[in-house]
């Protein structure tokens, strides 16, 4: 039986991506966040944290700020979809946790993301 976090990642999608230097949501990101909100409404005891990330370019301070805006944008979209504020925290990681390492757009684009992680209340039975 899949864990709740895995179920969330598979059925809702746990990450969205951003354009360079942007925190605005793309239509694809909005669709993923709508699926996340629907999943979270189905499991009202689940708590999540939205992690904001940036690519390696730019200063640490700039990337922390940008990743915070990305996490906040995703969190606010989930709130607008009816998920209670008390269930969603956010954190900014800047460029500290890349998922892809190379000096090219193919890696940078994977690192410009917000990831929604199940942090608690994960009882589905």
């Amino acid at each position: 039986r899949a864990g709740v976090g895995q179920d969330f990642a598979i059925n809702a999608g746990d990450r969205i991506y951003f354009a360079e230097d942007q925190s605005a949501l793309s239509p694809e990101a909005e669709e993923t966040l709508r699926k996340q909100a629907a999943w979270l409404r189905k499991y009202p005891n689940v708590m999540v944290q939205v992690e904001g990330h940036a690519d390696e370019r730019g200063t640490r301070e700039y990337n922390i700020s940008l990743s915070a805006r990305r996490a906040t944008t995703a969190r606010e979209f989930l709130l607008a979809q009816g998920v209670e504020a008390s269930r969603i925290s956010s954190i900014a990681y800047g460029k500290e946790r890349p998922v892809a390492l190379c000096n090219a757009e193919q890696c940078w684009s994977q690192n410009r993301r917000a990831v929604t992680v199940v942090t608690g209340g994960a009882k589905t039975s």
Side-chain angles (χ1 to χ4, degrees):
R1 178 167 114 88
V4 172
Q6 185 180 4
D7 181 75
F8 177 77
I10 292 167
N11 292 305
D14 65 348
R15 65 197 58 208
I16 59 172
Y17 298 95
F18 294 89
E20 185 177 342
D21 294 326
Q22 297 294 312
S23 59
L25 297 172
S26 68
E28 296 82 8
E30 288 184 357
E31 182 58 31
T32 297
L33 290 170
R34 277 196 269 291
K35 289 177 186 172
Q36 289 183 10
W39 191 96
L40 288 165
R41 288 192 304 269
K42 183 177 173 184
Y43 299 104
N45 296 324
V46 173
M47 312 284 279
V48 294
Q49 181 171 63
V50 180
E51 301 176 343
H53 298 272
D55 68 36
E56 67 201 47
R57 298 169 296 170
T59 65
R60 183 177 188 280
E61 294 75 22
Y62 174 81
N63 282 315
I64 288 287
S65 175
L66 178 59
S67 65
R69 288 194 307 274
R70 288 173 173 165
T72 298
T73 298
R75 181 178 185 272
E76 288 175 351
F77 191 93
L78 292 171
L79 296 175
Q81 298 292 308
V83 181
E84 298 83 12
S86 61
R87 296 175 57 202
I88 313 170
S89 61
S90 63
I91 190 167
Y93 285 117
K95 59 184 177 180
E96 304 302 315
R97 293 187 174 190
V99 292
L101 293 171
C102 68
N103 193 22
E105 178 61 26
Q106 68 194 40
C107 292
W108 297 328
S109 64
Q110 294 177 62
N111 293 328
R112 296 190 302 260
R113 70 197 189 281
V115 182
T116 305
V117 179
V118 172
T119 58
K123 294 182 188 78
T124 58
S125 54

